[in-house]
């Protein structure tokens, strides 16, 4: 009988953790400066490239970019097309005010570094219709957004809450993982990788 009580409680706790919009003062905010100079993150999937497969740019495709998904517009997406350039993965949820606050700066960075770096939104924690509305409402349609309703890409990068950035260098190594309130500092992080 006790197991019936504990299982729903554990599931509820897990859902609250996943759907929280994050607190105003998290350890991520405090560690932001330290994470920016870190060469890798514990949340980093393996970045080794297997020989023989290359992306659209001719660069070797690291393991971290060996996945496919569907965009919020229903188009197929193959992450191997990101190989060879620094990549910003922006994990967001349609109902999250912090995510909405990051949208303008993320779109600006995508435009400023077009052709030099990739920016990809990874939407989760809601249905695709809400994700499409968020993209339209925030004016972020100039770069791709993945519809990750099942959380597969989020799990791949060990992301457990929205309004997070995972930044990869041109070789697929994670160089930053965390929160950038309002997207502040994103441009500088990308500039350091494209310079």
């Amino acid at each position: 009988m006790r197991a019936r009580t504990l299982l729903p409680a554990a599931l509820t706790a897990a859902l609250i953790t996943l759907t929280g919009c994050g607190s105003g003062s998290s350890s991520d905010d405090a560690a932001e400066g330290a994470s920016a100079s870190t060469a890798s993150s514990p949340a980093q999937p393996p970045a080794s490239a297997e020989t023989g497969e290359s992306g659209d740019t001719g660069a070797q495709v690291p393991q971290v970019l060996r996945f496919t998904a569907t965009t919020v517009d229903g188009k197929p997406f193959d992450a191997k097309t990101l190989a060879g350039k620094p990549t910003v993965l922006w994990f967001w949820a349609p109902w999250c005010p912090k995510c909405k606050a990051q949208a303008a700066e993320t779109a600006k960075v995508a435009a400023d570094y077009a052709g030099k770096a990739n920016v990809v939104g990874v939407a989760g924690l809601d249905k695709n219709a809400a994700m499409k509305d968020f993209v339209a409402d925030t004016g972020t349609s100039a770069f791709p957004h993945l519809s990750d309703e099942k959380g597969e890409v989020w799990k791949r990068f060990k992301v457990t809450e929205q309004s997070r950035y995972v930044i990869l260098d041109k070789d697929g190594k994670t160089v930053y993982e965390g929160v950038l309130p309002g997207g502040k500092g994103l441009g500088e992080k990308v500039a350091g990788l494209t310079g």
Side-chain angles (χ1 to χ4, degrees):
M1 193 67 162
R2 184 172 170 97
R4 287 185 186 167
T5 306
L6 291 177
L7 184 58
L11 289 173
T12 301
L15 284 173
I16 289 171
T17 300
L18 285 174
T19 60
C21 206
S23 65
S25 61
S26 71
S27 60
D28 291 324
D29 294 344
E32 180 179 324
S35 294
S37 62
T38 303
S40 65
S41 165
Q44 174 185 338
S48 62
E50 294 177 21
T51 55
E53 186 173 342
S54 59
D56 289 352
T57 62
Q60 290 293 353
V61 179
Q63 188 63 36
V64 71
L65 296 178
R66 293 179 187 263
F67 69 91
T68 58
T70 303
T71 67
V72 296
D73 296 327
K75 296 177 183 169
F77 180 86
D78 192 336
K80 75 179 181 183
T81 62
L82 305 173
K85 293 181 185 172
T87 297
V88 174
L89 298 171
W90 173 40
F91 293 86
W92 57 267
W95 42 262
C96 171
K98 289 184 179 185
C99 302
K100 194 167 274 196
Q102 292 171 326
E105 184 61 22
T106 306
K108 181 181 182 319
V109 168
D112 290 350
Y113 293 94
K116 295 179 183 176
N118 306 300
V119 176
V120 178
V122 186
L125 306 176
D126 210 330
K127 299 294 180 197
N128 192 67
M131 296 171 186
K132 286 176 80 168
D133 289 345
F134 178 94
V135 171
D137 293 346
T138 59
T140 56
S141 62
F143 57 93
H145 294 271
L146 308 182
S147 178
D148 196 27
E149 288 183 61
K150 295 180 181 177
E152 293 168 353
V153 180
W154 286 49
K155 288 175 194 167
R156 181 178 192 83
F157 288 91
K158 298 182 182 169
V159 172
T160 59
E161 64 181 355
Q162 71 287 348
S163 80
R164 296 188 77 78
Y165 292 96
V166 174
I167 303 175
L168 310 172
D169 69 9
K170 66 181 180 62
D171 299 317
K173 181 186 265 186
T174 300
V175 295
Y176 179 82
E177 191 272 337
V179 177
L180 296 172
K184 186 176 180 183
L186 181 61
E188 290 82 5
K189 291 182 186 322
V190 175
L193 295 171
T194 59

